Amino acid sequence: MATVAEDRLFGKSIKRREDPRFITGRGQYVDDVKLPGMTYAAFVRSPHPHAVIKGIDASAARQVPGVIAVYTGEDVKVGGLPCGWMLPDIKVPPRPALASGKVRYVGEPVAIVVAESVYAAKDGAEAVRVDYQPLKATVNPKSAHDKGAPKLFDDIPDNQCFYWTIGDKAATEAAFKSAATVVRQPLVNQRLIPNAMEPRACVASFSPAMGDLTLWVTSQNPHVHRLLMAAFILGIPETKMRVIAPDVGGGFGSKIFVYNEEVVACWASKTLGRPVKWTAERRESFMNDAHGRDHVTEAEMAFDRDGKITGLRVKTHAALGAYLSTFAPLIPSFLYGPLLSGVYKIPVIFCEVWGMLTTTAPVDAYRGAGRPEATYLVERLMDRAADQLGVDPTELRRRNFIPKFTDGTPYQTPVAFAYDSGDYEPALRRALQMAGYDALRKEQELGRKQGRLIGIGVTTYIEACGPAPSAVAGSLGAGAGLWESGQVRVHPTGAVSVYTGSHSHGQGHETTFAQLVADELGIPMEQIDIVHGDTAQIPFGMGTYGSRSACVGGSAIFRSLEKVKEKGRKIAAHLLEAGEQDLVFEKGAWSVKGAPGKSKAWGEVALMAYLAHNIPQGMEPGLEATSFYDPTNFTFPFGAHVAVVEIDPDTGHVKILRYVAVDDVGRVINPMIVDGMVHGGIAQGVGQALWEHGIYGEDGQLVTGSMMDYALPKADQLPMYETDRTVTPSPVNPLGVKGAGETGTIASTPTIVNAVIDALSGQGVTHLDMPLTAEKVWKAAAASRK
Amino acid sequence: MYPAAFEYHAPASVREALGLLGQYKDDAKLLAGGHSLVPMMKLRLAQPKHLIDLKKIPGLSYIKEDGGAIAIGAMTTHWQVESSALLKQKCPVLSETAAVIGDPAVRNLGTIGGSLAHADPAADMPATIIAHGAEFVCEGPKGRRTVKVDDWFLGLMSTAVKEDELLVEVRVPLWAGKTGGAYLKFPHPASRFAVVGAAAVVTLDGAGKCTKAGVGITGAGIKAVRARDVEAGLVGKNLDQATIEAAAAKAAEGVDVQADLQGSVEYKSHLCRVFARRALEAAVKRARG
Ligand SMILES: Cc1cc2nc3c(=O)[nH]c(=O)nc-3n(C[C@H](O)[C@H](O)[C@H](O)COP(=O)(O)OP(=O)(O)OC[C@H]3O[C@@H](n4cnc5c(N)ncnc54)[C@H](O)[C@@H]3O)c2cc1C
């Protein structure tokens, strides 16, 4: 396998080519789509968390001027929304596009109103009368399991969707029996609500003349959207459906999934013969976009006399919400349990997960998806253990690191994963050096004497990116392969269009992928076009999530580049009347070794491929290649983060004084873009640690359903980040890249919590559940002061 | 976020606006900067049939010295208050308070009159206005009347302005002698409104004794209030640290503290005391110069 040569555009902070259109308001988002005869949809949503629908009266709504039609669950005849990941013995409840018979969470769509204007649609929705008979809510994944908890579905006992385990139970129990020390900690990983800048939206347009359907939708994976909708929901051939995900303003996972609204809009467009547009209001996003996290966990770690980990035992109740979102079962199972080994040598692990139905919005992948939950658990336990064992938390981590393995031999954990490569100590060393760890500890000590509450938090993490080897994914329950496609089409001038199955919704693919192409073909970025997000243009592709674009999508493109170069070399050799082995490709031209005057530029070769006047005998004209790259393993980025915080003992306010992040994401194509992802990721993780919480009251109402109540991080609450990288190339793919989209989110949550608990450790505090709101911190500081 | 249908009116004078108010009564709402009203309309929590926009009325936006007070027109934006040279020189706490309201977009449209008429329990300006002992000028069909600040805030989002009236002016007495003030808030992590905010204005005599003190508390209760017990603990005394602390310890008294997601009654009462103390410390420091 060829690997890329050092130092061309690879590794340069090229400014993002897509930004001029974004920052001047010229992006083309779904809501910018305007079609002749377009209609507008509004949804009537359940105000109850759990209720029987006794009747729907839409007569007044139909009288509202401008209203064209009102449809309920009785009318909309389409298949239910499928779940794309199966686990053994899983019970999959039916998920209708519009509620039928019962509603099971606040915000569940009950009816659609289609009108000539958005205003008329909203007025119509307000006029629909629904008669509900309220039932009791159950919002907590642990108590939903209790006998006597309200049941969401008659045929799903105890609201338990699945019970899943990983690891060796007997061996783990034995390890705990012989342990010198056991650290126990119940943990809540609270529910989060994703908030992409662009809310979800769709425009469905059925053409009665052609009999086909075009759907513009805010999707991270348009082909997956098309497959699920055409085959499973609408029952039409894929050839009759085109899905376009144009500019998409952020996803964080929430736009992977197929949702009710686009399904109903498609059906309504077909029924009415007119385009139907729907754009979420922010409060609809809060209620109906898939949420993240929401685990209630008991975790225990066993240690021997030397402070070496001998076992880990985990019991987690994970909320899935009222219905199974597209990949819901995957997140608290295979994206969670296999991460529990962290960067540590843990001989035995046993993890049990109960997948629970709750009367809340569905829960699915949210930036990090399972890995943040696992990392938080492991890193909190490490700090608890350091405290209990009386050793410095960095020392305890060092003692337990998996030793360096960078020779291509993977490290096999007891929970399925074989890490591709790793060298954990240098990242920690670098982070501690940047932070000035020893000096910080002294400053902390000194501060304590003056009544200052300063805390230092450290996390060493691993994460798994680049899902995934398709056969492995299949064996674990995936309803799809997880390879990626990349097509390189060379035009007669030598300019290149790249069609990628990856989807950019903030990641900057138009820049990074073009950097790869420019390097390989020696042509300027201006001659390279990166095309994505349209099933009519690109080969079947799997989309973007799980930090997979560079390592899986980029590798597919790279393979195709190799193929077109290979053919180009043959044509050049033919034209130069030289042997292929005598040619060198440099700066966009082939030349004959030792005969500097004899050369053919990339453009000349491309032109000849299309003129086909003089190409090797038997060769087909044209110059393009398609590759489907199936990775042989996940990639495993890792790193060390350090935070310094100070607590205002009067108010409990946590101020982040410093934040140091050293990440190893393998080779880096565009450092500026990676820095941007790390920065945003850290902010998102800090948000979980300190502020964000999707709260459902006991009555099932969403309490934090707007930006007035749900506290997203803001710039003035965050410090200037100090970042650096170590570089351990991944042996898994030809680019040596790993994935950088989620590391910040995964590492920063435990880093901040560890820092806050460290600040309070002088007061005897050992743990607080997130978010560490000012009141919680103040109470903890005050209570222990007494 | 689409409001229900309404009719829009843009009167050119206060008289015309009052005429429309009289005509449509309960069905009408005055529109100032729209940064409290319009969000409520978009959520359809408010569905006025008629909106009477005050923006086209000339002469409602000004900041000027007028007979021992600074007179501020109701339609003066938060940004104008924040950036006013006159206020910065003579009444700086008003500018400082305006500067911590929302973000630049909010401050460029939101108005002092709108904020004080809306009386959001977590709004910033009410605390500062109370601490300054300001007065409100309302204009109705029968002409103008003046309302003292202590009679202004009546309850949750309810003030002394009558249904047939407009708030046209806020009058803030000029600082005399050795006066200092401050407004400090604990911002809500999501909305940035005040979880608790405290404003203090103190005047000292030549010997450093407090001759006048105004302390306003916002955020904690259903409306902004004057912290009378705190003020009583200051006037006539030398404002050393112990005196300030003892006075500030009474900051939650008389506040109808409401528990919510941001805090229990206990915590918010505590924040009232902390922020009253901090505002007083800053005010005294400034008064001493
Ligand atoms: C994102 C955001 C953040 C904000 N953050 C803060 C914050 O941190 N702190 C804070 O204090 N505020 C904050 N606000 C509120 C902001 O200050 C508003 O501008 C203010 O509360 C209302 O002023 P307005 O001019 O916008 O009034 P409008 O919204 O136009 O009117 C509000 C109410 O007052 C009535 N009214 C307006 N003018 C008059 C008048 N002259 N006479 C009688 N009645 C009148 C209206 O009829 C209406 O009922 C925020 C608002 C937003 C949207």
Side-chain angles (χ1 to χ4, degrees), chain B residues 29-30 32-37 78 102 110-111 115 123-124 167 192-193:
Chain B
K29 269 271 175 204
L30 298 172
H35 268 49
S36 290
L37 181 56
H78 300 317
T111 65
S115 179
D124 296 298
L167 168 64
R192 315 303 267 165
F193 276 75

Side-chain angles (χ1 to χ4, degrees), chain B residues 7-249:
Chain B
E7 209 169 307
Y8 173 82
H9 307 269
S13 67
V14 170
R15 181 171 299 274
E16 197 185 328
L18 291 173
L20 288 162
L21 258 188
Q23 187 180 345
Y24 298 115
K25 301 202 162 58
D26 278 0
D27 283 345
K29 269 271 175 204
L30 298 172
L31 176 70
H35 268 49
S36 290
L37 181 56
V38 174
M40 293 200 339
M41 289 170 62
K42 285 183 164 183
L43 291 167
R44 300 202 172 195
L45 295 173
Q47 303 201 359
K49 293 213 165 57
H50 297 270
L51 264 196
I52 305 169
D53 190 353
L54 304 181
K55 234 178 255 130
K56 306 271 158 68
I57 302 177
L60 282 181
S61 169
Y62 53 83
I63 301 171
K64 62 184 185 211
E65 216 174 313
D66 177 20
I70 294 190
I72 306 175
M75 288 299 288
T76 309
T77 64
H78 300 317
W79 160 247
Q80 286 166 332
V81 173
E82 174 185 356
S83 60
S84 155
L86 181 65
L87 282 175
K88 280 186 183 171
Q89 192 202 341
K90 305 237 158 139
C91 240
V93 186
L94 257 81
S95 299
E96 289 164 15
T97 306
V100 297
I101 294 174
D103 52 41
V106 173
R107 298 199 287 277
N108 274 320
L109 280 166
T111 65
I112 191 168
S115 179
L116 294 169
H118 188 63
D120 189 302
D124 296 298
M125 198 52 88
T128 298
I129 285 296
I130 288 170
H132 281 85
E135 287 180 341
F136 295 77
V137 181
C138 294
E139 187 167 337
K142 294 190 198 114
R144 293 192 165 205
R145 69 183 178 111
T146 300
V147 182
K148 293 222 153 46
V149 70
D150 292 338
D151 302 325
W152 183 255
F153 298 106
L154 301 179
L156 183 67
M157 292 175 151
S158 135
T159 67
V161 69
K162 298 207 177 104
E163 273 178 13
D164 58 356
E165 283 181 335
L166 251 69
L167 168 64
V168 290
E169 187 178 283
V170 185
R171 297 178 65 82
V172 184
L174 278 173
W175 287 11
K178 286 169 69 172
T179 299
Y183 173 72
L184 293 171
K185 73 164 160 178
F186 193 69
H188 186 295
S191 75
R192 315 303 267 165
F193 276 75
V195 173
V196 166
V201 178
V202 294
T203 306
L204 309 178
D205 67 13
K209 209 168 262 162
C210 176
T211 57
K212 208 173 146 203
V215 178
I217 304 278
T218 190
I222 56 162
K223 59 168 188 158
V225 294
R226 175 180 297 287
R228 289 181 200 287
D229 293 338
V230 180
E231 293 173 357
L234 301 167
V235 177
K237 296 197 180 130
N238 224 319
L239 300 186
D240 54 21
Q241 190 62 22
T243 307
I244 290 174
E245 277 176 25

Side-chain angles (χ1 to χ4, degrees), chain A residues 118-119 122-123 126 281 283 648 650-653 691 695 703-704 707-712 714 716-717 774-775 778-779, chain B residues 1-5 42-44 47 186 188-193 260-264 266-267 270-271 274-275 277-278:
Chain A
V118 196
Y119 281 95
K122 302 282 178 187
D123 288 349
E126 210 180 38
E281 297 183 12
R283 62 178 164 163
D648 177 346
D650 271 350
T651 63
H653 176 72
W691 306 296
I695 302 175
V703 181
T704 50
M707 294 215 181
M708 294 294 278
D709 302 299
Y710 186 87
L712 291 167
K714 292 164 193 67
D716 70 335
Q717 297 165 312
E775 176 170 25
W778 171 75
K779 275 211 169 112
Chain B
M1 305 283 276
Y2 293 83
K42 285 183 164 183
L43 291 167
R44 300 202 172 195
Q47 303 201 359
F186 193 69
H188 186 295
S191 75
R192 315 303 267 165
F193 276 75
D260 59 22
L261 278 186
Q262 291 316 312
S264 59
E266 181 199 2
Y267 178 60
H270 169 78
L271 287 182
V274 170
F275 280 83
R277 189 196 77 220
R278 290 180 179 177

